[in-house]
Amino acid sequence: MQQPHTVRVPRKARATAALLAVGAALAGGLVPGSATASSHREAPLIAADPTVDNTDLYAFVSPDKPDTVTIVANYFGFQEPVGGPNFYPWAENAHYDINIDNDGDAKPDLTFRYTFTTDDRRKNATFLYNNGEVTSINDENLLFRQNYKLELIDQRGAGKVLIKSARSAPSNTGAASMPDFRTIRDQAIAQVPGGGLSFAGPAEDSFFADLRVFDLLYGGDLSKTGQDTLRGFNVNTIALQIPTHLLALKGDAKRNPVIGLWADTERQSLKLSPGKAKAEGDFVQVSRLGNPLVNEVVAPAGLKDAFNGLTPDQDGKVKALLDRVTDPELPKLIEQIYKIQAPAGPREDLVEIFLTGVTTKAGGPIKADLNSQLNNADVMAHMFVPSEMLRLNMAVPPTAEPNRLGVLGGDNQGFPNGRRLTDDVIDIAIQAMEGAAQSGNLVQALAAGDKVDANDVAFEQRFPYVAVPSNAAVNSAVQAQVETKSSILGDLPAGALIGGALGALVLLGGTVYLWRKRPTKARHRSTRPW
């Protein structure tokens, strides 16, 4: 294992004139904050570059190591498992960032950055990803390999290399090629200095939901819900497990247990010529994800690309998005289609859930102290900035029997206090949008939700917790039989369901992204042990 050494990370450029124009047009107020689920293909520009598209972000106290937090960030949704010959590599010339804000100023105090390189040994010899059975991550038959570097960047912009070179798990190309993929997957788990673990590679998509919500809220007939649209899809996953004290403000997880998290990806623009694509220029933020489905459902179509270019400290400039929180669209649609009266506005309960965290110190209507950085003993309240991010109270211990409805189900370790893999965020968010968090009572007419209450494949009990990726096609005869039986008998046992569906692979094609990340401002020197 490489020992960490100090490197210097250049400051990033401020937003381009395009972002300033958007900010000026929409300025004045706070930003987003409601959600119902995930972030697959949520905005026009990022839908054309799926390799760097954040799909889901999870953060939870590790159930088997409660002195650590596990963060799972997924990318590149709707992967058809048999989508060769190139399958689903990580993007080069891109930054995959996981950001931590522990003092509530909406700026990252810690950024864990993954960058990938490719070792393609096929050259002109073959079109195959592997030319024989692959039994280990270093098997000579594995012809396409990717490695990554993991850096830790502090609030001053200075960084340390935590892992100089670690192997990403390859795509699962099929049972004949990789008969024991779990062994290969586990070999891709790397040690992080300070007591952490890191993994990058494919996984079965952790998100579960009936996405026919976009067909006029299930076509106006809740009896026709229950199809897990994500069944069998794979994603690219980064999983990172870090001791709680290394994430907490001043290194003290007892006094300062609450952290805020978001993931973002940055791309260099591509210059295209016949048969070639050259990355050049500044890195530009092209995707962002904190709470699930903020951009996908809350933001109107015209603001989705702008949201992906914003950072949390810029949220206050976009009043148009804040207005979609305090006066959300979804309850109005439910009232129109299902005749269930929408709660009266302005919706300060949603502002509290998604912009400030749940706390009595922000003057919101939910009378509890759960997951706001304002609850940290050493936070300076005047520096606190309401902003959209996933917030986690690391002092809430893991639950022996997690409730899929999280906090609404009486389980304070679940969403919106962080997000576990098993949290049913579609059902939770629908109830929250209908006022359940403020009233303390579920809306019984919507209690069944989308009737997809759990993932089709069981999650694992140890790091990286996500399920191994599927290796069978969605439209196979076996998958059709599974779907038929499932519709009659309910979900089959974990491991019995297979498949995936082909997410359209669209080249970036030289698209110039118009947003850049804010520069890191110098602040107090970090005293982290890394």
Side-chain angles (χ1 to χ4, degrees), residues 16 18 44-50 52 266-270 282-287 305 308 507-508 510-516:
T16 62
L45 282 178
I46 200 61
D49 192 13
V52 289
E266 300 172 344
R267 264 284 206 186
Q268 284 182 290
S269 298
L270 294 182
D282 293 331
F283 282 88
V284 176
Q285 182 177 303
V286 296
S287 185
D305 289 329
N308 270 337
L507 289 176
L508 177 60
T511 299
V512 179
Y513 290 94
L514 300 178
W515 302 278
R516 293 185 179 138

Side-chain angles (χ1 to χ4, degrees), residues 207-467:
F207 180 50
F208 50 93
D210 188 337
L211 290 183
R212 206 167 72 87
V213 65
F214 297 110
D215 180 15
L216 296 179
L217 305 188
Y218 308 110
D221 186 354
L222 291 176
S223 70
K224 295 183 178 180
T225 57
Q227 171 63 43
D228 185 357
T229 315
L230 281 299
R231 185 190 299 275
F233 285 118
N234 294 333
V235 291
N236 285 351
T237 291
I238 286 173
L240 180 64
Q241 189 173 86
I242 297 294
T244 55
H245 71 276
L246 297 179
L247 300 176
L249 177 63
K250 296 186 176 181
D252 191 338
K254 292 184 178 180
R255 285 178 56 83
N256 306 299
V258 178
I259 58 174
L261 309 96
W262 70 97
D264 69 75
T265 50
E266 300 172 344
R267 264 284 206 186
Q268 284 182 290
S269 298
L270 294 182
K271 181 179 180 180
L272 297 184
S273 58
K276 296 180 180 179
K278 179 183 178 182
E280 59 183 19
D282 293 331
F283 282 88
V284 176
Q285 182 177 303
V286 296
S287 185
R288 167 190 172 186
L289 182 61
N291 284 291
L293 212 108
V294 167
N295 200 7
E296 197 161 17
V297 166
V298 177
L303 298 181
K304 292 181 182 296
D305 289 329
F307 180 81
N308 270 337
L310 293 171
T311 51
D313 59 311
Q314 296 169 330
D315 284 351
K317 299 186 177 82
V318 191
K319 182 178 182 298
L321 283 171
L322 175 63
D323 290 343
R324 304 284 290 199
V325 178
T326 57
D327 186 20
E329 179 182 5
L330 183 58
K332 295 178 181 179
L333 292 174
I334 291 174
E335 181 173 349
Q336 177 184 348
I337 295 172
Y338 292 106
K339 311 306 178 186
I340 299 171
Q341 185 174 356
R347 297 295 304 280
E348 299 299 332
D349 55 328
L350 298 182
V351 171
E352 187 171 358
I353 290 172
F354 296 105
L355 291 176
T356 66
V358 177
T359 177
T360 59
K361 298 176 177 63
I366 303 175
K367 303 305 179 185
D369 288 317
L370 180 61
N371 67 336
S372 173
Q373 292 101 322
L374 285 170
N375 296 330
N376 288 339
D378 295 318
V379 160
M380 294 180 286
H382 70 280
M383 298 291 291
F384 182 81
V385 177
S387 55
E388 198 285 306
M389 62 180 70
L390 186 66
R391 291 176 169 87
L392 173 68
N393 186 337
M394 301 182 292
V396 180
T399 308
E401 297 183 2
N403 188 302
R404 69 179 182 87
L405 295 181
V407 174
L408 291 182
D411 180 358
N412 284 343
Q413 220 241 341
F415 182 74
N417 182 27
R419 181 184 176 189
R420 299 169 299 194
L421 297 173
T422 56
D423 287 339
D424 191 349
V425 292
I426 282 275
D427 288 5
I428 295 170
I430 289 175
Q431 288 289 334
M433 294 293 282
E434 290 298 301
Q438 184 171 351
S439 70
N441 298 310
L442 296 181
V443 178
Q444 290 304 312
L446 297 170
D450 66 352
K451 299 179 184 176
V452 180
D453 296 342
N455 199 41
D456 58 297
V457 180
F459 299 119
E460 302 191 355
Q461 300 302 309
R462 60 185 178 89
F463 186 86
Y465 304 104
V466 293

Side-chain angles (χ1 to χ4, degrees), residues 120-139:
D120 190 346
R121 304 181 177 191
R122 295 173 296 182
K123 307 302 181 185
N124 292 330
T126 182
F127 61 83
L128 292 171
Y129 192 93
N130 53 284
N131 61 0
E133 184 177 285
V134 176
T135 59
S136 75
I137 202 168
N138 293 315
D139 196 305

